Amino acid sequence: MEFPDLGEHCSERTCKQLDFLPLKCDACGEIFCKDHIAYSWHRCSSAYKKDIQVPVCPLCNTPIPVKKGETADVVVGAHMDKGCRLDSARRKEKIFTNKCFRPGCKKKEMMKLVCDQCGQNFCLQHRHPLDHGCLGQSWSISKAGCAAQMRLLESRQKSSNGQLQRNGCRTKS
């Protein structure tokens, strides 16, 4: 052996492997190799001090304290028998509650997308006035907006009947 003082032997009785990167158990303080460092792998007698798990009630989502020597299933069962109720304040609220007002669309969104012209709520697909056939006020728009509407109308009219009709836009003054 070239380095007799380098590394330490695993404390597991069946292993005793010389490990150059030994690990110290934080519960019992003994030295182990990477294969035996887990509490269950070296049957740690002090694991109860560190390996603490708190069960959660499946009905009310409340953590239930378990004393040493008690079984978690029994304690949670006793909690449920004592009158554990599903708290109405803790019930999960529905996230997607804003229904689209366009006829035939059944989509619901997380946020309200209210049309400025008609004041109704729509989904992402139908949020623009041209997409939901808005019958609200015809507000004056900018020249760029008018040009965009004209291009849209021209493309729709060309595809539908082959003829082009001109519709004027009111611009802001």
Side-chain angles (χ1 to χ4, degrees):
M1 240 189 201
E2 294 180 22
F3 302 106
D5 297 330
L6 190 62
E8 293 189 43
H9 289 279
C10 179
S11 297
E12 177 63 31
R13 286 174 276 151
T14 59
C15 182
K16 298 293 182 189
Q17 176 183 0
L18 179 63
D19 196 347
F20 294 107
L21 295 171
L23 302 166
K24 184 177 181 181
C25 177
D26 61 345
C28 63
E30 294 188 37
I31 303 296
F32 295 99
C33 64
K34 65 178 176 66
D35 297 329
H36 297 107
I37 190 61
Y39 300 136
S40 59
W41 293 343
H42 69 269
R43 295 178 295 281
C44 186
S45 59
S46 302
Y48 69 91
K49 296 177 185 175
K50 298 286 184 171
D51 194 16
I52 299 171
Q53 296 178 359
V54 179
V56 176
C57 176
L59 297 178
C60 64
N61 290 330
T62 305
I64 310 298
V66 179
K67 295 177 183 171
K68 185 178 174 183
E70 292 180 333
T71 308
D73 292 336
V74 173
V75 175
V76 172
H79 166 78
M80 292 167 72
D81 292 340
K82 286 181 183 176
C84 170
R85 300 269 187 256
L86 182 61
D87 189 9
S88 61
R90 289 189 180 191
R91 264 188 241 159
K92 291 184 180 178
E93 295 180 17
K94 292 183 180 179
I95 296 174
F96 299 97
T97 56
N98 301 305
K99 187 181 181 306
C100 181
F101 278 97
R102 177 153 189 234
C105 183
K106 296 182 180 182
K107 290 184 183 177
K108 294 180 180 179
E109 296 294 334
M110 192 181 316
M111 297 175 50
K112 284 188 176 184
L113 298 168
V114 179
C115 176
D116 292 335
Q117 295 180 8
C118 63
Q120 291 184 339
N121 187 47
F122 295 97
C123 65
L124 287 171
Q125 186 178 359
H126 301 119
R127 69 184 182 267
H128 297 294
L130 293 175
D131 294 332
H132 65 262
C134 187
L135 301 174
Q137 297 176 357
S138 174
W139 291 0
S140 58
I141 56 174
S142 67
K143 289 183 181 181
C146 182
Q149 282 186 342
M150 291 302 294
R151 283 193 302 272
L152 179 68
L153 288 172
E154 287 173 3
S155 67
R156 284 184 182 172
Q157 289 172 356
K158 278 184 182 179
S159 64
S160 64
N161 57 1
Q163 294 181 0
L164 194 62
Q165 297 177 351
R166 286 277 188 212
N167 293 334
C169 292
R170 288 186 296 157
T171 58
K172 291 181 181 176
S173 33

